[in-house]
C-alpha cells in the first residue's frame, strides 16, 4: 500500500466552485492589463517613450510569475502516517503533547485525519484536507493554501500587484488630465474605467499587503493572529524585526516533504532476496558488508554477513605508525 492509496479514501474531490475566485483574479488582472496596454499604454509610448510600457510589462510578468508559483507550489503538505505508524487504538493516544521551544511551552495536537502529531505551527486545512507546515491561511484567490514554502511568493505577488495597479492608475490619470478636452475618445473612456476599478480594488489589496508585512515583522501567521495564540505568552519564533524579515524574504527555500514509504523501506530487501544467516557463537565475530548500490533494476542489494572466526587477527602497528601519547 502506497501513500497515494492512503490519501485516496479521505481526499476531498475539488469542486469547480473552489477555482472560481482564482479564475476571477486571473481574468481581472489579465483583462485590465491587456486593455491598458492597447489603449492608454500605446498612447503613452507614442507620446513619450517605449520604456514606459516595457517597465510596466516587466512588473506584470513578475506579478504573473509569483502568482503562478503561489498557486502551483506545494505549500508544505505533510504526508499522512503509514499503515505501520497508525496506532492500534488511536482513541488511547493523548490528544495533545507538550514540548518546549525557547523556554515556551507549545502543544502538539493529534490530527485524526492524517494520523500524526502536528509539528509546531502546523494546522489542518479543511479545504485541502491536509496538514500544512507553518500554515498561514487558505487563499481562495490562488486556490491554494499559503504555508511555509509558498508564503514568500504570495507576498511578492501582493507587492507586485500593488505596484502594478499604482502604475496603471498613474498612467490612466495622466491621460485623462492631459486630454481633458477630449473625454469622449476611447482612450480616455478606458482610462476612466480603469481608474475607477483600480480605485475600488487597491484599498483592500494594499491593506492586505500591509497586514502581512506586519505579521512578517512580528514572526506571526494569519492563523496565529486570528486565534490569538500568543496573546498571553511570548512568541518563541520572534527573533526581532530585521531577522524576521530577512528570513522570510531572503531565507532558504524549503524542499518538498517526500513520501516517507520510499525513504523508509527502500533499503529493506524482499523476502525472496534475503540471504540466510546463522549467527556464530559470539555476536562480536560478525562483519556486515553493505553494498554501495543495488542491481540494474534499482532494487537494493541484500546485506551480506561474514564470520570472522577464520580470519587472521589484525597485525599490530609498527612503532612509526603509532600515534604519540597525549
Amino acid at each position: 500500500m502506497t501513500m497515494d492509496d492512503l490519501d485516496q479514501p479521505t481526499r476531498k474531490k475539488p469542486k469547480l466552485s473552489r477555482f472560481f475566485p482564482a479564475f476571477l483574479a486571473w481574468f481581472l488582472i489579465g483583462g485590465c492589463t491587456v486593455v491598458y496596454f492597447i489603449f492608454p499604454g500605446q498612447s503613452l509610448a507614442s507620446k513619450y517613450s517605449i520604456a514606459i510600457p516595457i517597465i510596466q510589462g516587466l512588473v506584470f510578468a513578475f506579478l504573473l510569475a509569483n502568482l503562478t508559483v503561489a498557486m502551483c507550489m506545494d505549500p508544505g503538505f505533510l504526508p499522512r502516517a503509514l499503515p505501520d505508524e497508525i496506532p492500534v487504538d488511536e482513541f488511547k493516544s493523548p490528544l495533545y503533547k507538550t514540548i518546549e521551544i525557547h523556554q515556551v511551552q507549545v502543544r502538539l495536537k493529534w490530527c485524526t485525519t492524517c494520523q500524526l502529531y502536528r509539528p509546531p505551527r502546523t494546522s489542518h486545512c479543511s479545504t485541502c484536507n491536509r496538514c500544512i507546515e507553518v500554515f498561514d491561511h487558505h487563499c481562495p484567490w490562488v486556490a491554494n493554501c499559503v504555508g511555509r514554502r509558498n508564503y514568500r511568493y504570495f507576498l511578492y505577488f501582493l507587492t507586485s500587484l500593488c505596484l502594478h495597479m499604482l502604475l496603471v492608475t498613474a498612467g490612466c490619470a495622466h491621460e485623462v488630465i492631459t486630454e481633458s478636452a477630449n473625454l469622449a475618445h476611447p482612450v480616455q473612456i478606458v482610462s476612466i474605467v480603469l481608474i475607477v476599478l483600480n480605485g475600488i480594488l487597491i484599498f483592500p489589496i494594499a491593506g492586505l499587503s500591509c497586514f502581512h508585512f506586519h505579521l512578517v515583522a512580528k514572526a506571526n501567521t494569519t492563523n496565529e493572529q486570528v486565534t490569538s495564540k500568543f496573546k498571553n505568552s511570548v512568541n518563541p519564533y520572534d527573533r526581532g524585526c530585521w531577522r524576521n524579515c530577512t528570513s522570510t524574504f531572503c531565507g532558504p527555500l524549503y524542499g518538498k516533504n517526500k513520501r516517507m514509504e520510499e525513504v523508509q523501506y527502500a533499503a529493506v530487501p524482499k523476502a525472496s532476496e534475503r540471504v540466510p544467516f546463522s549467527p556464530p557463537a559470539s555476536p562480536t565475530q560478525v562483519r556486515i558488508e553493505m553494498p554501495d548500490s543495488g542491481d540494474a533494476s534499482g532494487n537494493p542489494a541484500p546485506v551480506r554477513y561474514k564470520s570472522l572466526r577464520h580470519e587472521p587477527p589484525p597485525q599490530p602497528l609498527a612503532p612509526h605508525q603509532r600515534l604519540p601519547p597525549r
Side-chain angles (χ1 to χ4, degrees):
M1 181 180 291
T2 62
M3 202 66 180
D4 294 330
D5 298 332
L6 291 176
D7 292 347
Q8 190 67 26
T10 57
R11 182 180 296 171
K12 295 181 179 179
K13 294 182 179 180
K15 299 180 180 179
L16 294 178
S17 59
R18 173 184 170 183
F19 301 98
F20 177 75
F23 173 77
L24 182 62
W26 277 90
F27 176 77
L28 288 176
I29 295 173
C32 293
T33 303
V34 170
V35 171
Y36 170 78
F37 280 121
I38 293 176
F39 293 96
Q42 185 176 2
S43 177
L44 291 173
S46 60
K47 290 181 181 178
Y48 301 100
S49 174
I50 193 64
I52 296 178
I54 290 178
I55 294 175
Q56 293 178 335
L58 293 177
V59 175
F60 179 64
F62 183 75
L63 183 157
L64 290 184
N66 287 280
L67 175 59
T68 304
V69 173
M71 291 182 65
C72 301
M73 177 176 281
D74 180 355
F77 292 130
L78 292 179
R80 290 188 173 93
L82 297 173
D84 57 346
E85 296 175 339
I86 299 177
V88 178
D89 191 357
E90 62 175 287
F91 296 100
K92 294 183 179 180
S93 302
L95 186 59
Y96 294 97
K97 282 187 177 181
T98 303
I99 63 174
E100 187 174 289
I101 301 178
H102 297 161
Q103 300 179 354
V104 177
Q105 298 292 329
V106 179
R107 293 197 307 176
L108 307 182
K109 187 178 180 181
W110 174 261
C111 181
T112 57
T113 303
C114 300
Q115 298 292 321
L116 52 82
Y117 282 100
R118 301 171 188 168
R121 315 191 82 178
T122 300
S123 183
H124 190 90
C125 177
S126 58
T127 305
C128 299
N129 199 27
R130 297 290 297 273
C131 283
I132 291 88
E133 201 172 9
V134 193
F135 176 75
D136 189 87
H137 70 288
H138 183 88
C139 182
W141 302 106
V142 298
N144 195 7
C145 282
V146 179
R148 183 181 189 179
R149 300 188 68 237
N150 64 344
Y151 184 65
R152 173 186 305 180
Y153 304 102
F154 178 75
L155 292 179
Y156 288 160
F157 161 66
L158 290 179
T159 305
S160 57
L161 179 59
C162 292
L163 178 60
H164 180 62
M165 295 178 69
L166 289 175
L167 292 176
V168 170
T169 304
C172 294
H174 182 273
E175 279 295 312
V176 173
I177 293 174
T178 56
E179 301 292 338
S180 58
N182 191 16
L183 295 180
H185 194 272
V187 175
Q188 316 309 322
I189 296 176
V190 171
S191 300
I192 294 175
V193 173
L194 291 177
I195 290 174
V196 174
L197 187 60
N198 286 343
I200 296 174
L201 298 178
I202 196 170
F203 289 104
I205 296 175
L208 181 62
S209 302
C210 294
F211 172 72
H212 277 281
F213 281 115
H214 172 71
L215 294 180
V216 169
K218 294 175 57 180
N220 214 343
T221 64
T222 303
N223 183 53
E224 295 168 349
Q225 182 73 16
V226 171
T227 57
S228 302
K229 189 171 184 179
F230 303 113
K231 183 178 181 180
N232 299 322
S233 61
V234 180
N235 187 352
Y237 314 106
D238 189 3
R239 299 182 294 174
C241 179
W242 174 252
R243 295 188 64 183
N244 294 336
C245 295
T246 54
S247 62
T248 301
F249 294 101
C250 306
L253 299 177
Y254 298 97
K256 183 178 179 180
N257 294 314
K258 296 182 179 180
R259 299 286 187 183
M260 294 306 296
E261 79 278 0
E262 300 177 359
V263 179
Q264 184 173 357
Y265 301 113
V268 178
K270 299 179 181 180
S272 59
E273 299 174 352
R274 295 176 184 172
V275 178
F277 168 67
S278 298
S282 175
T284 60
Q285 297 176 347
V286 176
R287 183 173 64 199
I288 303 177
E289 298 179 355
M290 297 294 295
D292 295 335
S293 60
D295 54 12
S297 61
N299 297 323
V303 178
R304 302 185 182 277
Y305 303 89
K306 188 175 183 181
S307 176
L308 303 182
R309 287 182 294 179
H310 303 291
E311 291 189 1
Q315 298 296 329
L317 297 176
H320 66 277
Q321 295 178 342
R322 298 176 183 174
L323 295 176
R326 295 184 178 179

